[in-house]
Amino acid sequence: DQQVKQNSPSLSVQEGRISILNCDYTNSMFDYFLWYKKYPAEGPTFLISISSIKDKNEDGRFTVFLNKSAKHLSLHIVPSQPGDSAVYFCAATYGQNFVFGPGTRLSVLP
Amino acid sequence: EAGVAQSPRYKIIEKRQSVAFWCNPISGHATLYWYQQILGQGPKLLIQFQNNGVVDDSQLPKDRFSAERLKGVDSTLKIQPAKLEDSAVYLCASSFGRAQETQYFGPGTRLLVL
């Protein structure tokens, strides 16, 4: 049973345009959400997070939106850069539970 | 600040053999995590330590996997005996405190079981 889903395995975007990565979750107990970015042969690195008491968090080019009623969150990257090409993992947590989604591979084309 | 260190980076073994992975977390980080990432999937939490105590090992296949974190610093994860389906990247991460704090990941150990 996948508690955290990322239904798009891959996404291609032109440099300078907006990248939107989506994530859905099923467990209403989750109260904190994170996005991690992973380059090949490296471990994931933290990107941005959001608490369930908020609906938006922004950090530079990265914005995460949370829609609790829909159990949906999204990561917006504006403007997209070639260096953003990586696999992006959505993660959700409550208490000591920590669950990753399967990831979306983003390719930013020059 | 030194990151999370893991060794070896790669390991190839035959099924039914045993293997061990080592992790040294960031200095001062109380919480240490071991994840298994199978190709095409997200990391799956195997075990979580708070200092040298186990917080959660509900997804650790205890018939063949074991882990320890002596003295609350570095940790080892062992598989004995290995199966073909254990082929994966094993990631170690650490955080200062509890799960909602940022986890810092090591580069992982890529295991291939033949």
Side-chain angles (χ1 to χ4, degrees):
Chain A
D1 176 32
Q2 253 190 334
Q3 297 187 67
V4 179
K5 303 175 186 179
Q6 293 176 259
N7 292 322
S8 298
S10 62
L11 174 68
S12 292
V13 170
Q14 209 70 33
E15 181 179 3
R17 306 293 291 266
I18 184 172
S19 295
I20 300 176
L21 296 97
N22 294 303
C23 176
D24 297 287
Y25 60 97
T26 57
N27 191 338
S28 56
M29 295 287 290
F30 290 132
D31 59 2
Y32 198 75
F33 305 89
L34 308 94
W35 285 93
Y36 280 80
K37 178 167 91 170
K38 185 181 183 305
Y39 293 118
E42 295 182 11
T45 55
F46 170 75
L47 199 55
I48 192 169
S49 62
I50 188 167
S51 165
S52 61
I53 62 173
K54 295 187 174 182
D55 55 18
K56 176 183 174 181
N57 189 25
E58 202 170 344
D59 184 2
R61 296 187 297 115
F62 303 92
T63 303
V64 57
F65 295 92
L66 175 62
N67 183 334
K68 280 185 63 178
S69 60
K71 294 192 180 72
H72 176 83
L73 63 156
S74 61
L75 174 67
H76 293 211
I77 307 173
V78 184
S80 301
Q81 299 173 354
D84 296 329
S85 296
V87 177
Y88 289 78
F89 292 101
C90 170
T93 180
Y94 73 94
Q96 300 295 335
N97 298 280
F98 201 93
V99 181
F100 277 88
T104 296
R105 181 177 302 277
L106 173 66
S107 299
V108 180
L109 309 173
Chain B
E1 178 183 81
V4 177
Q6 288 189 249
S7 67
R9 291 295 310 273
Y10 304 93
K11 191 74 178 179
I12 301 175
I13 61 173
E14 295 188 350
K15 60 183 179 183
R16 291 188 289 273
Q17 286 187 321
S18 62
V19 64
F21 313 126
W22 174 81
C23 172
N24 190 33
I26 291 173
S27 178
H29 280 193
T31 309
L32 185 148
Y33 312 79
W34 282 103
Y35 290 87
Q36 179 193 59
Q37 185 180 12
I38 293 172
L39 189 64
Q41 299 181 19
K44 182 182 88 171
L45 181 65
L46 293 176
I47 188 167
Q48 180 184 161
F49 293 94
Q50 183 88 15
N51 297 307
N52 60 348
V54 175
V55 173
D56 179 17
D57 63 357
S58 56
Q59 297 198 87
L60 187 74
K62 298 181 188 62
D63 57 335
R64 297 183 301 105
F65 285 65
S66 65
E68 60 182 9
R69 190 183 183 197
L70 299 176
K71 300 179 182 177
V73 182
D74 54 353
S75 174
T76 56
L77 176 69
K78 296 178 182 177
I79 308 175
Q80 182 180 13
K83 292 186 175 182
L84 297 177
E85 58 262 35
D86 298 332
S87 295
V89 175
Y90 290 85
L91 293 161
C92 178
S94 69
S95 66
F96 186 75
R98 57 193 180 92
Q100 291 194 354
E101 296 195 14
T102 301
Q103 295 182 30
Y104 296 86
F105 284 81
T109 297
R110 184 174 297 275
L111 173 67
L112 179 60
V113 182
L114 302 175

